[in-house]
Amino acid sequence: MQYFPPALENLVEQFAKLPGVGVKSAQRLAFYVLSMPDDEANAFAQAVISAKATIHCCPVCQNLTDGDGPCSICASPKRDQSTICVVADPKDVAAMERSREYQGLYHVLHGVISPMSHVGPDDLHIKSLVERVAAGGIEEVIMATNPDTEGKNVFRLLLLTTF
């Protein structure tokens, strides 16, 4: 028996695909969106569409950036160009930047090696990191991945391929 109209069921299904959102939370979100005034709902939908269309990976560090050029961190002359902090995800860059302590550059892998999830070295942005280091000028690489098995796998792979 179908409890909701098909369009609402579809909206609930789409919200339920988000990480950490179960069916009940997806239903709450769907009902909230339906209760929004039309202009707010349209602005919400447009924000999703706009973000998908304009946000890309920085060609240098693989962090998220607006447009096709380098991100604001890579483009900043104030950053220490000799140090790269390797992180798993763009949200890790945001966490590091909130500390206001680190002034170097970043490299975002977009994940960690996880054989159980079928994520191998070729699925990550490791090759571009190796190329950056090989190009010269880098004196220090800081591994800021989690110290769990997956994070250690990335570290081991980098040791084997670069140093």
Side-chain angles (χ1 to χ4, degrees):
M1 179 176 185
Q2 192 172 11
Y3 294 108
F4 304 122
L8 180 55
E9 287 284 349
N10 184 37
L11 186 58
V12 169
E13 287 174 17
Q14 297 308 311
F15 276 123
K17 290 179 182 178
L18 297 172
V21 177
V23 175
K24 288 184 180 181
S25 293
Q27 287 176 349
R28 279 193 292 276
L29 290 169
F31 280 113
Y32 179 79
V33 167
L34 288 178
S35 71
M36 295 169 83
D38 287 348
D39 59 331
E40 287 182 27
N42 287 330
F44 179 78
Q46 189 56 46
V48 172
I49 292 167
S50 177
K52 285 295 292 175
T54 62
I55 296 175
H56 302 288
C57 287
C58 171
V60 179
C61 72
Q62 309 307 316
N63 193 15
L64 300 179
T65 186
D66 231 356
D68 296 328
C71 68
S72 59
I73 294 172
C74 289
S76 174
K78 296 179 181 179
R79 304 300 288 222
D80 176 3
Q81 303 290 314
S82 68
T83 305
I84 295 177
C85 180
V86 180
V87 296
D89 296 300
K91 66 183 177 195
D92 299 328
V93 172
M96 291 287 290
E97 286 297 294
R98 278 193 301 273
S99 75
R100 297 177 190 240
E101 295 293 321
Y102 179 69
Q103 294 302 313
L105 303 175
Y106 294 95
H107 191 85
V108 182
L109 299 173
H110 288 272
V112 292
I113 296 172
S114 177
M116 297 293 287
S117 300
H118 306 289
V119 178
D122 294 337
D123 300 314
L124 305 177
H125 292 275
I126 294 173
K127 183 179 178 188
S128 57
L129 172 61
V130 173
E131 290 170 356
R132 282 178 76 185
V133 172
I138 304 300
E139 297 175 12
E140 182 177 16
V141 176
I142 302 167
M143 292 299 299
T145 56
N146 283 332
D148 56 9
T149 304
E150 289 84 7
K152 288 179 183 176
N153 285 342
V154 170
F155 179 71
R156 287 183 188 113
L157 179 69
L158 285 173
L159 282 175
L160 291 172
T161 59
T162 60
F163 308 106

